[in-house]
Amino acid sequence: MMSDSSGSTVLERKEDSPKMPDKKKTKFDVIIIGAGPAGYTAGIYCSRARHDTLILSGILPGGQLVNTTDVENYPGFENGIMGPDLMITMRKQTERMGTTIIDDEVVNVDFKHKPFKVLTATEEYEAKAVIIATGASPRKLGVTGEQSFSGKGVSYCATCDGPFFRNQEIVVVGGGDSAMEEATFLTKFATKVHIIHRREELRASKVMQERAFDNEKINFHFNSEIEEIKGDQKVQQVTLKNSKNNENKTITAGAVFVAIGHDPNTKLFTNQIDLDKQGYIILKNRTETNIPGVFAAGDVHDHRYRQAITAAGYGCMAAIDVDRYLGEE
Ligand code: NAP
């Protein structure tokens, strides 16, 4: 502790100035694959623990938050923050801690031998430990208007974007637990929620179904699929087709929440790491995978919470686990 010119006590900075990263280096203590909240947080913690750390961010760094608008539920931002701005801030903070960040896509990994190898199209990197933070991607409907209205009424996260559609009708697509949960959550804001499901029966668990059926604000449209999402600047209408009677229907709604599942970004690791049936990384203990020295953080293993803040938390945990692992090594 020390005093400033006014005599108040202020906290003294403990860390010295970060050194500039050497982008030509190929050997690191830790390589983090992925640059969402989990990857950046892991980078901050690894670098502060003085491990030489590289993040290979992929070609679109920032993860799912770069596709959202206002983020109101990430602590520390009294008035919220735009998703892309939050990720740029995290990146700058990570770089300031000394993490090397390269915006390149990983095309292959070799976790069978040590040091581990992580390959991009043009470079081969080596590390004593790896953190996989490649996240998950929401499944897309692939209908007209979905992409063009993404962030303008089309959303893949009710917790993130629901509050922006107060006093409007909202459409939710899907028949699983996520769709029921999101629809029920969205009734807090919407005047009416329309669940569009492609079959006659829901896939969701009985308890989640009952909760949705009991909610007077929720309307079900079974055997129905969206044909088009329409609007002028933002979502205004959704056209449906009923597969049983071929009838078309138009719903006036301000938002479409697509809740048809997520796919973890784990194709790269199929023959290297234990994955569950849905492709999520199976954690053996804390953030450890089945390969000692390879860790996972965020949505790539977590299909339950899937929040930026929980991903950041897992990034921190993975970095602390890496620090202990490297210490023991
Ligand atoms: P999910 O169980 O795979 O359900 C996806 C739903 O979307 C299914 O109803 C499916 O229809 C539909 N769907 C898939 N592709 C579609 C397409 N192209 N067009 C239209 N509809 C499509 O996914 P989820 O609901 O995200 O759940 C994932 C896992 O997380 C599950 O194990 C779930 O139990 C769990 N979860 C649990 C909770 C909780 O316990 N609170 C909350 C959320 C999720 P079909 O039924 O016709 O295949």
Side-chain angles (χ1 to χ4, degrees), residues 139 141 174-178 181 197-199 203 208 260-261:
R139 285 187 202 131
L141 284 169
D177 280 340
S178 293
E181 191 170 65
H197 182 41
R198 62 184 177 184
R199 289 189 298 130
R203 180 180 292 277
M208 305 284 267
I260 59 172

Side-chain angles (χ1 to χ4, degrees), residues 10-294:
V10 293
L11 284 173
E12 198 177 353
R13 287 184 63 81
K14 286 270 191 316
E15 67 259 21
D16 45 13
S17 311
K19 55 182 180 355
M20 286 303 289
D22 173 4
K23 302 228 172 191
K24 290 207 181 98
K25 249 171 66 135
T26 54
K27 292 188 170 67
F28 290 85
D29 296 331
V30 189
I31 292 179
I32 297 163
I33 309 174
Y40 284 142
T41 308
I44 291 168
Y45 274 76
C46 285
S47 291
R48 290 192 84 243
R50 295 295 184 257
H51 298 302
D52 214 351
T53 303
L54 168 69
I55 292 181
L56 288 166
S57 69
I59 37 178
L60 284 174
Q64 293 177 54
L65 278 191
V66 273
N67 295 322
T68 60
T69 50
D70 281 293
V71 179
E72 289 182 329
N73 55 5
Y74 200 90
F77 300 94
E78 192 184 355
N79 300 311
I81 181 166
M82 298 299 276
D85 293 344
L86 176 60
M87 298 322 295
I88 289 168
T89 309
M90 274 193 208
R91 181 183 177 114
K92 285 185 183 161
Q93 184 181 1
T94 311
E95 283 179 318
R96 202 176 72 78
M97 291 301 135
T99 307
T100 303
I101 302 178
I102 296 178
D103 296 329
D104 205 350
E105 195 166 11
V106 175
V107 295
N108 208 350
V109 292
D110 179 3
F111 296 154
K112 296 209 161 76
H113 310 96
K114 288 187 183 171
F116 302 123
K117 287 192 174 50
V118 180
L119 291 87
T120 65
T122 54
E123 202 60 83
E124 182 177 301
Y125 297 95
E126 283 182 12
K128 297 174 202 162
V130 171
I131 298 175
I132 301 171
T134 46
S137 306
R139 285 187 202 131
K140 305 274 169 23
L141 284 169
V143 299
T144 309
E146 181 182 22
Q147 204 180 330
S148 53
F149 289 114
S150 182
K152 297 171 192 153
V154 173
S155 170
Y156 300 86
C157 176
T159 325
C160 318
D161 298 330
F164 301 121
F165 302 99
R166 277 174 212 279
N167 303 321
Q168 299 182 40
E169 295 198 19
I170 292 177
V171 163
V172 173
V173 193
D177 280 340
S178 293
M180 299 309 115
E181 191 170 65
E182 304 223 330
T184 307
F185 172 75
L186 288 166
T187 57
K188 289 187 193 178
F189 315 103
T191 49
K192 196 184 268 183
V193 174
H194 300 269
I195 295 181
I196 317 293
H197 182 41
R198 62 184 177 184
R199 289 189 298 130
E200 187 102 40
E201 288 111 41
L202 295 171
R203 180 180 292 277
S205 55
K206 283 281 171 288
V207 60
M208 305 284 267
Q209 291 192 24
E210 280 164 16
R211 208 168 290 159
F213 283 135
D214 288 347
N215 194 315
E216 285 177 358
K217 278 190 174 179
I218 298 180
N219 230 3
F220 283 87
H221 304 260
F222 289 107
N223 302 310
S224 297
E225 291 193 53
I226 291 188
E227 281 206 321
E228 191 177 349
I229 301 168
K230 295 177 174 174
D232 175 26
Q233 311 288 336
K234 57 189 172 71
V235 171
Q236 287 168 326
Q237 277 187 342
V238 172
T239 55
L240 306 182
K241 180 157 200 139
N242 185 307
S243 57
K244 275 215 155 157
N245 57 20
N246 273 338
E247 270 177 19
N248 289 310
K249 204 188 270 180
T250 300
I251 296 174
T252 301
V256 177
F257 285 84
V258 181
I260 59 172
H262 280 74
D263 292 317
N265 300 321
T266 51
K267 253 192 216 138
L268 261 182
F269 314 110
T270 312
N271 297 314
Q272 305 263 348
I273 296 279
D274 286 350
L275 307 176
D276 70 12
K277 272 193 281 179
Q278 294 166 314
Y280 288 90
I281 291 179
I282 298 171
L283 295 186
K284 213 176 130 233
N285 192 17
R286 293 179 287 266
T287 63
E288 295 163 14
T289 68
N290 61 308
I291 310 268
V294 180

Side-chain angles (χ1 to χ4, degrees), residues 301-312:
H301 68 81
D302 165 36
H303 46 80
R304 185 174 175 84
Y305 300 107
R306 293 199 301 242
Q307 300 300 302
I309 187 68
T310 49

